[in-house]
Amino acid sequence: MQQSATKAWQRARLKAIAALSLGLTMLLGITISIPAFASETPSLDKITERGTLRVGMSTFVPWAMRDKQGDLIGFEIDVAKRLAEDSGWKVEFVPTAWDGIIPALLAQKFDVIIGGMSITPERSKSVLFTAPYSHSGVQLAANQSLAKGFSTIEDFNSRRVTIAARRGAFTVQVARETFPKAKILQFDDDAQAFQEVLNGQAHAVIASSPKPEHETVKHSDKLFIPFNERLSKGNEAFAVRLGEEDKKAFFDQWIIERTNDGWLSERYEYWFSTLDWQNQIVSGQ
């Protein structure tokens, strides 16, 4: 009886999705492709019959990690649990090595990847992406003394400015494109790059979020974030198998609803802009 009610609710919800205007689907910055036949739900029916949503993910702070009791916590864990709860399902997490996560999805080891996966043209050849549900990217953390008063890109785009970055990372490309006049110092890892700025040897450090935000919280007496917007913005989405249009449409609608009510933003800010959760995990994770 409960499964029948859940299926009916899912079908009604998908019909509503099909009726959404393009203006609504553009609210996340991309066009969401929603099938006109959204009343057919073979992929969703399988999940409902099982009663459990199987989620593929990899551990990576603060997306997904183990707390001191060994339980999974993190932004992705919150997202998957809320999705399952709203849909009337239980949730089962399937930890998977990142380099094998797409093959595991295609091999039907789980129903969906919810793991901070960015949308790329290459990945789109293998999987079907939903609308974005989070937007990470690249950010700058600056030395409070050396960069005092700096608040614009032009302030840092000077031959007198030194910016630290991790060698070989995408952040080096972003730094060179955004600050072509600045001197870019490259280090073997992010820790060395941040230490250079903490020591007053560089004006700023550029790195993938949430590293700049977290380090600024840890060293609020020495670092600050000069920009309200990230220098480079990514789009993370759920990934399902090609052809699973009903599942994608269902997840798209959930993402729209949780975006509109502010829940996704609130959880993202908690995990990426604060360290209020840090005492839950083992140091060094």
mmCIF file of all heavy atoms in Angstrom, residues 65-97:
data_model
loop_
_atom_site.group_PDB
_atom_site.id
_atom_site.type_symbol
_atom_site.label_atom_id
_atom_site.label_comp_id
_atom_site.label_asym_id
_atom_site.label_seq_id
_atom_site.Cartn_x
_atom_site.Cartn_y
_atom_site.Cartn_z
ATOM 1 N N MET A 65 32.881 12.020 4.790
ATOM 2 C CA MET A 65 33.992 11.600 5.644
ATOM 3 C C MET A 65 33.427 10.801 6.808
ATOM 4 O O MET A 65 32.212 10.731 7.004
ATOM 5 C CB MET A 65 34.762 12.833 6.136
ATOM 6 C CG MET A 65 33.874 13.891 6.747
ATOM 7 S SD MET A 65 34.620 15.533 6.755
ATOM 8 C CE MET A 65 33.167 16.543 7.067
ATOM 9 N N ARG A 66 34.310 10.202 7.586
ATOM 10 C CA ARG A 66 33.892 9.409 8.743
ATOM 11 C C ARG A 66 34.025 10.240 10.016
ATOM 12 O O ARG A 66 35.032 10.932 10.217
ATOM 13 C CB ARG A 66 34.773 8.163 8.863
ATOM 14 C CG ARG A 66 34.695 7.221 7.659
ATOM 15 C CD ARG A 66 33.459 6.374 7.677
ATOM 16 N NE ARG A 66 33.400 5.463 6.528
ATOM 17 C CZ ARG A 66 32.404 4.629 6.299
ATOM 18 N NH1 ARG A 66 31.381 4.578 7.134
ATOM 19 N NH2 ARG A 66 32.416 3.837 5.238
ATOM 20 N N ASP A 67 33.010 10.137 10.878
ATOM 21 C CA ASP A 67 33.128 10.796 12.172
ATOM 22 C C ASP A 67 33.859 9.878 13.152
ATOM 23 O O ASP A 67 34.335 8.797 12.773
ATOM 24 C CB ASP A 67 31.754 11.217 12.709
ATOM 25 C CG ASP A 67 30.838 10.036 13.020
ATOM 26 O OD1 ASP A 67 31.315 8.884 13.075
ATOM 27 O OD2 ASP A 67 29.627 10.272 13.214
ATOM 28 N N LYS A 68 33.980 10.288 14.395
ATOM 29 C CA LYS A 68 34.754 9.525 15.374
ATOM 30 C C LYS A 68 34.132 8.170 15.690
ATOM 31 O O LYS A 68 34.801 7.278 16.206
ATOM 32 C CB LYS A 68 34.899 10.351 16.654
ATOM 33 C CG LYS A 68 35.766 11.588 16.465
ATOM 34 C CD LYS A 68 35.840 12.428 17.729
ATOM 35 C CE LYS A 68 36.704 13.663 17.511
ATOM 36 N NZ LYS A 68 36.759 14.542 18.710
ATOM 37 N N GLN A 69 32.856 8.001 15.353
ATOM 38 C CA GLN A 69 32.186 6.711 15.561
ATOM 39 C C GLN A 69 32.233 5.838 14.312
ATOM 40 O O GLN A 69 31.727 4.716 14.307
ATOM 41 C CB GLN A 69 30.721 6.928 15.968
ATOM 42 C CG GLN A 69 30.523 7.463 17.382
ATOM 43 C CD GLN A 69 30.958 8.903 17.541
ATOM 44 O OE1 GLN A 69 30.613 9.746 16.719
ATOM 45 N NE2 GLN A 69 31.718 9.202 18.587
ATOM 46 N N GLY A 70 32.838 6.377 13.236
ATOM 47 C CA GLY A 70 32.945 5.617 11.992
ATOM 48 C C GLY A 70 31.776 5.806 11.047
ATOM 49 O O GLY A 70 31.720 5.163 9.986
ATOM 50 N N ASP A 71 30.833 6.683 11.393
ATOM 51 C CA ASP A 71 29.680 6.931 10.538
ATOM 52 C C ASP A 71 30.002 8.001 9.500
ATOM 53 O O ASP A 71 30.833 8.888 9.745
ATOM 54 C CB ASP A 71 28.477 7.385 11.381
ATOM 55 C CG ASP A 71 28.021 6.320 12.365
ATOM 56 O OD1 ASP A 71 28.064 5.135 11.992
ATOM 57 O OD2 ASP A 71 27.646 6.679 13.498
ATOM 58 N N LEU A 72 29.339 7.923 8.358
ATOM 59 C CA LEU A 72 29.551 8.898 7.300
ATOM 60 C C LEU A 72 28.837 10.209 7.618
ATOM 61 O O LEU A 72 27.662 10.209 7.997
ATOM 62 C CB LEU A 72 29.051 8.347 5.963
ATOM 63 C CG LEU A 72 29.933 7.275 5.304
ATOM 64 C CD1 LEU A 72 29.170 6.575 4.183
ATOM 65 C CD2 LEU A 72 31.223 7.893 4.765
ATOM 66 N N ILE A 73 29.545 11.312 7.457
ATOM 67 C CA ILE A 73 28.951 12.636 7.590
ATOM 68 C C ILE A 73 29.515 13.502 6.469
ATOM 69 O O ILE A 73 30.476 13.126 5.797
ATOM 70 C CB ILE A 73 29.264 13.289 8.959
ATOM 71 C CG1 ILE A 73 30.792 13.479 9.131
ATOM 72 C CG2 ILE A 73 28.692 12.476 10.101
ATOM 73 C CD1 ILE A 73 31.158 14.331 10.341
ATOM 74 N N GLY A 74 28.928 14.670 6.254
ATOM 75 C CA GLY A 74 29.422 15.575 5.237
ATOM 76 C C GLY A 74 28.294 16.129 4.394
ATOM 77 O O GLY A 74 27.127 15.745 4.535
ATOM 78 N N PHE A 75 28.634 17.034 3.498
ATOM 79 C CA PHE A 75 27.629 17.686 2.668
ATOM 80 C C PHE A 75 26.869 16.682 1.813
ATOM 81 O O PHE A 75 25.640 16.691 1.758
ATOM 82 C CB PHE A 75 28.303 18.730 1.769
ATOM 83 C CG PHE A 75 27.366 19.397 0.809
ATOM 84 C CD1 PHE A 75 26.313 20.185 1.272
ATOM 85 C CD2 PHE A 75 27.518 19.245 -0.563
ATOM 86 C CE1 PHE A 75 25.438 20.808 0.381
ATOM 87 C CE2 PHE A 75 26.657 19.856 -1.451
ATOM 88 C CZ PHE A 75 25.611 20.642 -0.979
ATOM 89 N N GLU A 76 27.606 15.789 1.114
ATOM 90 C CA GLU A 76 26.941 14.817 0.248
ATOM 91 C C GLU A 76 26.059 13.870 1.050
ATOM 92 O O GLU A 76 25.006 13.432 0.570
ATOM 93 C CB GLU A 76 27.978 13.998 -0.519
ATOM 94 C CG GLU A 76 28.948 14.816 -1.339
ATOM 95 C CD GLU A 76 28.306 15.535 -2.508
ATOM 96 O OE1 GLU A 76 27.063 15.543 -2.616
ATOM 97 O OE2 GLU A 76 29.044 16.091 -3.324
ATOM 98 N N ILE A 77 26.483 13.543 2.252
ATOM 99 C CA ILE A 77 25.709 12.637 3.094
ATOM 100 C C ILE A 77 24.391 13.294 3.489
ATOM 101 O O ILE A 77 23.328 12.663 3.448
ATOM 102 C CB ILE A 77 26.516 12.233 4.347
ATOM 103 C CG1 ILE A 77 27.896 11.669 3.933
ATOM 104 C CG2 ILE A 77 25.741 11.223 5.172
ATOM 105 C CD1 ILE A 77 27.846 10.532 2.947
ATOM 106 N N ASP A 78 24.458 14.578 3.848
ATOM 107 C CA ASP A 78 23.232 15.316 4.155
ATOM 108 C C ASP A 78 22.297 15.343 2.954
ATOM 109 O O ASP A 78 21.082 15.153 3.086
ATOM 110 C CB ASP A 78 23.567 16.759 4.559
ATOM 111 C CG ASP A 78 24.114 16.874 5.970
ATOM 112 O OD1 ASP A 78 24.178 15.849 6.675
ATOM 113 O OD2 ASP A 78 24.476 17.998 6.362
ATOM 114 N N VAL A 79 22.864 15.606 1.778
ATOM 115 C CA VAL A 79 22.059 15.706 0.555
ATOM 116 C C VAL A 79 21.365 14.380 0.252
ATOM 117 O O VAL A 79 20.153 14.331 -0.001
ATOM 118 C CB VAL A 79 22.935 16.137 -0.642
ATOM 119 C CG1 VAL A 79 22.166 15.993 -1.955
ATOM 120 C CG2 VAL A 79 23.397 17.586 -0.471
ATOM 121 N N ALA A 80 22.123 13.291 0.277
ATOM 122 C CA ALA A 80 21.555 11.980 -0.048
ATOM 123 C C ALA A 80 20.493 11.565 0.965
ATOM 124 O O ALA A 80 19.438 11.021 0.598
ATOM 125 C CB ALA A 80 22.667 10.939 -0.122
ATOM 126 N N LYS A 81 20.747 11.811 2.238
ATOM 127 C CA LYS A 81 19.774 11.443 3.280
ATOM 128 C C LYS A 81 18.480 12.233 3.123
ATOM 129 O O LYS A 81 17.381 11.673 3.259
ATOM 130 C CB LYS A 81 20.380 11.683 4.670
ATOM 131 C CG LYS A 81 21.403 10.643 5.090
ATOM 132 C CD LYS A 81 21.904 10.925 6.504
ATOM 133 C CE LYS A 81 22.842 9.831 7.000
ATOM 134 N NZ LYS A 81 23.346 10.119 8.374
ATOM 135 N N ARG A 82 18.588 13.522 2.841
ATOM 136 C CA ARG A 82 17.387 14.355 2.679
ATOM 137 C C ARG A 82 16.614 13.943 1.424
ATOM 138 O O ARG A 82 15.375 13.881 1.434
ATOM 139 C CB ARG A 82 17.776 15.829 2.612
ATOM 140 C CG ARG A 82 16.603 16.791 2.400
ATOM 141 C CD ARG A 82 15.644 16.805 3.576
ATOM 142 N NE ARG A 82 14.446 17.584 3.287
ATOM 143 C CZ ARG A 82 14.332 18.896 3.501
ATOM 144 N NH1 ARG A 82 15.355 19.591 4.004
ATOM 145 N NH2 ARG A 82 13.207 19.521 3.221
ATOM 146 N N LEU A 83 17.325 13.653 0.343
ATOM 147 C CA LEU A 83 16.680 13.197 -0.883
ATOM 148 C C LEU A 83 15.883 11.922 -0.632
ATOM 149 O O LEU A 83 14.720 11.805 -1.046
ATOM 150 C CB LEU A 83 17.726 12.955 -1.969
ATOM 151 C CG LEU A 83 17.255 12.248 -3.246
ATOM 152 C CD1 LEU A 83 16.196 13.080 -3.965
ATOM 153 C CD2 LEU A 83 18.437 11.960 -4.172
ATOM 154 N N ALA A 84 16.501 10.968 0.051
ATOM 155 C CA ALA A 84 15.825 9.698 0.334
ATOM 156 C C ALA A 84 14.630 9.925 1.258
ATOM 157 O O ALA A 84 13.542 9.375 1.025
ATOM 158 C CB ALA A 84 16.812 8.722 0.967
ATOM 159 N N GLU A 85 14.811 10.747 2.270
ATOM 160 C CA GLU A 85 13.723 11.016 3.222
ATOM 161 C C GLU A 85 12.531 11.652 2.525
ATOM 162 O O GLU A 85 11.374 11.247 2.733
ATOM 163 C CB GLU A 85 14.230 11.926 4.339
ATOM 164 C CG GLU A 85 13.179 12.308 5.364
ATOM 165 C CD GLU A 85 13.698 13.313 6.387
ATOM 166 O OE1 GLU A 85 14.925 13.554 6.420
ATOM 167 O OE2 GLU A 85 12.879 13.859 7.140
ATOM 168 N N ASP A 86 12.803 12.659 1.683
ATOM 169 C CA ASP A 86 11.728 13.346 0.976
ATOM 170 C C ASP A 86 11.005 12.417 0.005
ATOM 171 O O ASP A 86 9.841 12.652 -0.334
ATOM 172 C CB ASP A 86 12.285 14.542 0.197
ATOM 173 C CG ASP A 86 12.700 15.696 1.094
ATOM 174 O OD1 ASP A 86 12.383 15.646 2.301
ATOM 175 O OD2 ASP A 86 13.349 16.632 0.598
ATOM 176 N N SER A 87 11.700 11.383 -0.469
ATOM 177 C CA SER A 87 11.154 10.487 -1.489
ATOM 178 C C SER A 87 10.538 9.219 -0.913
ATOM 179 O O SER A 87 10.047 8.374 -1.661
ATOM 180 C CB SER A 87 12.260 10.118 -2.483
ATOM 181 O OG SER A 87 12.867 11.268 -3.033
ATOM 182 N N GLY A 88 10.593 9.070 0.411
ATOM 183 C CA GLY A 88 10.018 7.901 1.042
ATOM 184 C C GLY A 88 10.883 6.659 0.961
ATOM 185 O O GLY A 88 10.379 5.534 1.031
ATOM 186 N N TRP A 89 12.204 6.861 0.802
ATOM 187 C CA TRP A 89 13.140 5.741 0.703
ATOM 188 C C TRP A 89 14.100 5.729 1.891
ATOM 189 O O TRP A 89 14.304 6.739 2.558
ATOM 190 C CB TRP A 89 13.993 5.842 -0.569
ATOM 191 C CG TRP A 89 13.232 5.908 -1.842
ATOM 192 C CD1 TRP A 89 12.121 5.203 -2.178
ATOM 193 C CD2 TRP A 89 13.550 6.733 -2.976
ATOM 194 N NE1 TRP A 89 11.712 5.518 -3.455
ATOM 195 C CE2 TRP A 89 12.576 6.465 -3.970
ATOM 196 C CE3 TRP A 89 14.556 7.665 -3.257
ATOM 197 C CZ2 TRP A 89 12.569 7.084 -5.208
ATOM 198 C CZ3 TRP A 89 14.554 8.284 -4.493
ATOM 199 C CH2 TRP A 89 13.574 7.997 -5.461
ATOM 200 N N LYS A 90 14.733 4.595 2.096
ATOM 201 C CA LYS A 90 15.916 4.517 2.946
ATOM 202 C C LYS A 90 17.112 4.833 2.048
ATOM 203 O O LYS A 90 16.980 4.897 0.825
ATOM 204 C CB LYS A 90 16.058 3.124 3.556
ATOM 205 C CG LYS A 90 14.931 2.743 4.514
ATOM 206 C CD LYS A 90 15.124 1.334 5.051
ATOM 207 C CE LYS A 90 13.983 0.953 5.984
ATOM 208 N NZ LYS A 90 14.149 -0.443 6.491
ATOM 209 N N VAL A 91 18.291 5.008 2.642
ATOM 210 C CA VAL A 91 19.478 5.280 1.839
ATOM 211 C C VAL A 91 20.594 4.316 2.217
ATOM 212 O O VAL A 91 20.786 3.998 3.398
ATOM 213 C CB VAL A 91 19.947 6.751 2.006
ATOM 214 C CG1 VAL A 91 20.360 7.034 3.441
ATOM 215 C CG2 VAL A 91 21.074 7.076 1.043
ATOM 216 N N GLU A 92 21.292 3.840 1.196
ATOM 217 C CA GLU A 92 22.450 2.967 1.389
ATOM 218 C C GLU A 92 23.636 3.598 0.666
ATOM 219 O O GLU A 92 23.570 3.833 -0.540
ATOM 220 C CB GLU A 92 22.180 1.574 0.817
ATOM 221 C CG GLU A 92 23.391 0.644 0.876
ATOM 222 C CD GLU A 92 23.173 -0.661 0.123
ATOM 223 O OE1 GLU A 92 22.008 -0.986 -0.187
ATOM 224 O OE2 GLU A 92 24.176 -1.337 -0.176
ATOM 225 N N PHE A 93 24.712 3.876 1.405
ATOM 226 C CA PHE A 93 25.900 4.458 0.796
ATOM 227 C C PHE A 93 26.851 3.356 0.347
ATOM 228 O O PHE A 93 27.079 2.389 1.074
ATOM 229 C CB PHE A 93 26.600 5.399 1.780
ATOM 230 C CG PHE A 93 25.790 6.619 2.105
ATOM 231 C CD1 PHE A 93 25.121 6.746 3.314
ATOM 232 C CD2 PHE A 93 25.682 7.645 1.185
ATOM 233 C CE1 PHE A 93 24.356 7.856 3.608
ATOM 234 C CE2 PHE A 93 24.916 8.780 1.460
ATOM 235 C CZ PHE A 93 24.247 8.880 2.677
ATOM 236 N N VAL A 94 27.403 3.546 -0.863
ATOM 237 C CA VAL A 94 28.339 2.571 -1.423
ATOM 238 C C VAL A 94 29.665 3.287 -1.669
ATOM 239 O O VAL A 94 29.890 3.857 -2.742
ATOM 240 C CB VAL A 94 27.807 1.964 -2.732
ATOM 241 C CG1 VAL A 94 28.749 0.863 -3.229
ATOM 242 C CG2 VAL A 94 26.398 1.412 -2.545
ATOM 243 N N PRO A 95 30.569 3.330 -0.659
ATOM 244 C CA PRO A 95 31.869 3.989 -0.848
ATOM 245 C C PRO A 95 32.640 3.346 -2.002
ATOM 246 O O PRO A 95 32.755 2.118 -2.070
ATOM 247 C CB PRO A 95 32.572 3.762 0.496
ATOM 248 C CG PRO A 95 31.456 3.561 1.472
ATOM 249 C CD PRO A 95 30.401 2.811 0.702
ATOM 250 N N THR A 96 33.133 4.175 -2.904
ATOM 251 C CA THR A 96 33.778 3.691 -4.122
ATOM 252 C C THR A 96 34.969 4.573 -4.453
ATOM 253 O O THR A 96 34.906 5.793 -4.304
ATOM 254 C CB THR A 96 32.774 3.730 -5.300
ATOM 255 O OG1 THR A 96 31.584 3.018 -4.933
ATOM 256 C CG2 THR A 96 33.366 3.114 -6.553
ATOM 257 N N ALA A 97 36.063 3.969 -4.905
ATOM 258 C CA ALA A 97 37.234 4.746 -5.321
ATOM 259 C C ALA A 97 36.832 5.693 -6.445
ATOM 260 O O ALA A 97 36.095 5.307 -7.363
ATOM 261 C CB ALA A 97 38.346 3.811 -5.784
#
